[in-house]
Structure formats: C-alpha cells, structure tokens
Amino acid sequence: MRHARRRIVRRVTRLTAVAGLLLGGAMVTQAAMASESPPAAARPLAAASGSGAGGTGAALVARLGTARTAGDWIGADGRPVVAVTDGAAAREVRRAGAEAKVVRHSMDELKSATAALRSAPRVAGTAWAVDYRTNRVVVSADSTVSAGDWSRMSRVAARIGSFVRMERTKGTFTTRLNGAQPILSTGGRCSAGFNVTDGRSDFILTAGHCGPAGSIWFADAQGGRQLGRTVSSTFPGNDFSLVQYASGRAGDGADVVAIGGGNGVRITGVADAAVGQRVFRSGSTSGLHDGTVTALNATVNYPEGTVTGLIQTTVCAEPGDSGGPLFSDGIALGVTSGGNGDCTTGGTTFFQPVTRALSVLNVKLIVSAQSSGAGAPSASPAPSAPAARGAMAPNAASPGTAAPVTGAAGRTLLARLTDTRNVGPGLLVIAGSLIALAATRYIRAEQDRKAYQRHYSATWG
C-alpha cells in the first residue's frame, strides 16, 4: 500500500513538472512577443502628425479672430467645424477644408458674458462654460444652490442676454479628493497625474487641491514608503501642484500612466484639448473611463473657491481620482480637478489643462522616446496644440499605446509573477519544473537501488 502511494505521488509530481515546463515556455514566448515594438498601425495617430482636422479649425479661428468666430470643434466625422459670424468668414473656412457654421454671437460677446458672471457675487455650487455648438453660455447649478441664489443668478443671466442659459444639474460640484497610481497623505488620497521634470529633478504633476506646499505623500496606506513632498501648489484659481520625488527621480516607466491591472498607456506628447474630442481618464478609485470634451475655459465655483480655464467633459470621476491623468491617443491633456456624479450614474468632470500647468510651473512632461528609437523617456518639447487632434472621427480615438506599469505601488507577488510582459517568471517556472523532474528521477533511482540491495541481501544472506 505504501509503495502504491509513492508511485502515485511520483506520477503526480512528474505530470505537474511537465505542465510547468509547458506553462513556463508559453510565458517566455508571450513575454518576448509583448516586448516587441508595436507596429506602425498601433502607434498613436495623434503623435504621428502635427496637423489634423482640429488643428485646421484652431488655425482658422486664430487667423479670423474672435470678433468673427465663436470657437471650433471636431465633428462626428472627424472634420473640424468652425463657428463664424459672417458669410465671408464662412467661405474662407470652407476653402480651407473645414465646415462652417454661421452663428449670431462672436467669441468676444460670449467672453463678455462669462466676465459678467465672474463679476457677480460668487455662488458655490455653480459652474459655467461656453457651448460652442449652441453658441450659448451655459450656467449650471447643483443641488446645494438655494432657491434664492438660483433666482439671483437667473437675474444676472437675464441682464446679460438670452444666449445665457440656466440649468439645474444633479449631485454637487466638488473636488475629487479622497490610475494613475494612488498617493496618500494626512489630508487624504489623490491620484498621480503625469511625470514632469525641470532638468534637475523629477516631479508628479497632480491637482492643487490635493494638498498645500509641504504635504508629504506616501505610496502605501501604512506610511512606510515615502513618495515625495509637495513643493508648489496652486488652488483655487488654478488647480495643479508639483510633488517632488524623494529620490529625485521618477524611475523606470516615467512615461507611462497606469490604467489598472498592471497595465498602462505610454505618453508621447502634450497638447490642448478640443471640443468634441474623445478622451480617457484614469484614477486610483474608479480606474479607466472615457467620454467627450464638451467645453473649454470652464469656470467652477467649488465650496473651497473658484477655478477657471478648465476642460469640461462627460467623463465620470469619483473621490480619490483627483489629480489623475486625462489623455487621448497617448497625448497628455489634463489632470482631474472635480465635478459631480459618479461612475454609476455618470456626471460632469472638469480638468486642469496640462499645457497651462507646465507653462506656469516651468517644467516639461516626461514623454516616451520609443518612436525615436531611444531607450529612455525624454522631456517634452514645447506644447503643440494641434498635436492632439488627429484627422479622424472622435469615436476612433484610443487611450494610446499599451505599456507595462513598472514599480507599481501595492502590486502583489502574484500580480508580478503573472505579468505576461515579464520573462523572469516564465524562466523561474521552467527552472522549478526541471528541478522537480530531476528530484523525482533521483528519488526513483534511489528507491530502486535500495530495493535491489534488500533483494540481494535476502538472496545471498
């Protein structure tokens, strides 16, 4: 009976070792394939071309001026659409290959309306932005705005003109304090945005409301891994801050933003967002979500103060997603500021444009050098607005080129061992399987030798 059990154990061990060899070989093969450079078709379209449909629209607006135009956006077919106030401007837009929409109010008039709203007494829980497509200024009030404040805001809007529209919205406009990797301090939890550099040290660009200058950040809830310290923070007014790495360097994968499950997206450039553009947001609470840019230069009156110049989107966000990156086709666009709703019911989320933050902070985005054949990330060149706007339909956009997340805080041993982009685990599985096979072979030989000795002794004893 004992011999039968031993035979069963040896057979099971051998079968397990053979299976381990097959699994290890598959892991090594898959890792080798994953490490190959992506084909040209898989690389971000936006990074490949500096001139696109959206770029044409922005150039036309700049040439015609704000007195004759009222914004531009990307149409459903990917073509740029430019709002103009006269027939001559419309003809010039069409000659340039874009679609023209004749509207009543110029951008100068729309900006004058937003200036009048800013000069009115501040009401927390309100927000406004220019809706290019309807040629209106839309004022939103959340559930915290009282009937009296709503009435006062409505009177202000009526004095400005009929092109200012008032609307109620669900939920409350709040900052999203408490991926984009999680970063934690005594003030709460936020999400890392993008890695940037001033040429001497590396930093995390995140939301300003996450914490004032001097805030200490950790990569784990126990406070055992100090990540860095906030060295510059602006909020309200703007909403961005710099967290300097404790080591001075961002390390491997500085050009990658996390999207969950050990996966990431490689960042290849920086640009301004465009109305109608499909965008993606990653955060440490809710992960990766997508939506559309609905307005630029939005103003939000948070309870803590007013922030202007924001990107307004239909992307959802939740507490803890603050500071997380907004991007499209590998192009950095913004960091999460706040909004209303959640990722179950949806909502509106606002983002601080990256281009403005980089300009004020005098830093550069750390971007991928993969396309140029270099082996390490490099600092971004001067921001280029058209770079983010490829001549394609918005629904054809993607987050960008996939990349592994290295140095991910909180990754378990199992997650590292099952990472298909890592050759090491596969080699370990193969080595363990070979050892197991050798061990079973040795044990079988030793048992046969002892059995022969016993038989010989019994025969000749």
Side-chain angles (χ1 to χ4, degrees), residues 9-10 16 23 40 56 70 78 123 176 182 184 189 222 235 265 283 315 320 327 346 360 423 432:
V9 170
R10 287 198 301 270
T16 302
L23 175 61
T56 301
V123 177
R176 291 318 193 183
L184 304 100
R189 176 167 61 88
Q222 292 73 35
F235 177 81
V265 169
V315 189
F327 49 94
V360 172
V423 176

Side-chain angles (χ1 to χ4, degrees), residues 203-245:
F203 309 83
I204 298 170
L205 177 65
T206 188
H209 71 262
C210 286
S215 300
I216 304 297
W217 294 94
F218 299 90
D220 61 333
Q222 292 73 35
R225 294 181 54 203
Q226 183 174 330
L227 190 63
R229 179 176 60 89
T230 301
V231 294
S232 178
S233 180
T234 304
F235 177 81
N238 293 307
D239 195 0
F240 51 76
S241 65
L242 280 182
V243 176
Q244 184 174 23
Y245 280 101

Side-chain angles (χ1 to χ4, degrees), residues 29-432:
T29 302
Q30 188 170 359
M33 293 174 62
S35 65
E36 293 178 359
S37 300
R43 293 174 185 161
L45 298 178
S49 174
S51 61
T56 301
L60 286 168
V61 167
R63 184 163 79 243
L64 294 171
T66 54
R68 301 178 66 196
T69 62
D72 69 288
W73 61 93
I74 300 173
D77 59 355
R79 290 182 61 204
V81 182
V82 181
V84 295
T85 58
D86 60 74
R91 287 191 290 274
E92 188 168 347
V93 167
R94 295 187 187 104
R95 280 197 297 271
E99 181 181 344
K101 180 179 180 180
V102 179
V103 297
R104 182 175 178 181
H105 305 286
S106 69
M107 183 57 72
D108 287 345
E109 293 177 82
L110 298 173
K111 286 184 176 180
S112 177
T114 59
L117 290 167
R118 281 197 302 272
S119 64
R122 177 180 175 274
V123 177
T126 59
W128 55 79
V130 175
D131 186 340
Y132 296 167
R133 302 186 212 208
T134 63
N135 197 226
R136 289 181 175 181
V137 176
V138 180
V139 182
S140 302
D142 68 20
S143 58
T144 66
V145 177
S146 66
D149 284 336
W150 171 264
S151 179
R152 282 190 290 273
M153 288 291 293
S154 297
R155 287 196 295 271
V156 171
R159 286 196 298 269
I160 296 172
S162 59
F163 60 93
V164 179
R165 187 179 79 233
M166 296 284 294
E167 66 178 25
R168 281 281 193 180
T169 186
K170 297 179 180 178
T172 59
F173 290 125
T174 61
T175 53
R176 291 318 193 183
L177 183 62
N178 248 26
Q181 302 282 50
I183 54 176
L184 304 100
S185 74
T186 56
R189 176 167 61 88
C190 277
S191 299
F194 299 97
N195 285 309
V196 299
T197 183
D198 63 0
R200 299 181 300 276
S201 296
D202 295 345
F203 309 83
I204 298 170
L205 177 65
T206 188
H209 71 262
C210 286
S215 300
I216 304 297
W217 294 94
F218 299 90
D220 61 333
Q222 292 73 35
R225 294 181 54 203
Q226 183 174 330
L227 190 63
R229 179 176 60 89
T230 301
V231 294
S232 178
S233 180
T234 304
F235 177 81
N238 293 307
D239 195 0
F240 51 76
S241 65
L242 280 182
V243 176
Q244 184 174 23
Y245 280 101
S247 64
R249 289 288 175 264
D252 294 337
D255 58 330
V256 175
V257 296
I259 59 174
N263 300 314
V265 169
R266 202 174 298 281
I267 299 301
T268 59
V270 58
D272 291 316
V275 173
Q277 182 179 13
R278 186 187 182 200
V279 290
F280 301 82
R281 176 203 58 76
S282 184
S284 61
T285 298
S286 59
L288 182 69
H289 291 273
D290 70 305
T292 304
V293 175
T294 55
L296 304 175
N297 298 314
T299 296
V300 185
N301 293 298
Y302 295 123
E304 304 92 334
T306 300
V307 181
T308 62
L310 298 176
I311 305 166
Q312 179 177 309
T313 74
T314 61
V315 189
C316 70
E318 297 182 357
D321 288 332
S322 278
L326 179 75
F327 49 94
S328 183
D329 286 312
I331 302 298
L333 302 173
V335 293
T336 307
S337 174
N340 67 333
D342 53 39
C343 290
T344 300
T345 60
T348 299
T349 302
F350 300 93
F351 298 85
Q352 168 70 55
V354 169
T355 51
R356 171 149 180 81
L358 297 180
S359 175
V360 172
L361 296 169
N362 195 29
V363 293
K364 292 184 177 181
L365 192 72
I366 297 177
V367 299
S368 172
Q370 186 180 38
S371 58
S372 62
S378 62
S380 64
S384 174
R389 310 176 187 180
M392 59 182 177
N395 59 8
S398 67
T401 303
V405 176
T406 58
R411 289 188 70 195
T412 63
L413 176 62
L414 178 61
R416 292 194 295 270
L417 290 178
T418 55
D419 189 346
T420 58
R421 298 177 180 84
N422 194 346
V423 176
L427 294 177
L428 286 175
V429 172
I430 292 174

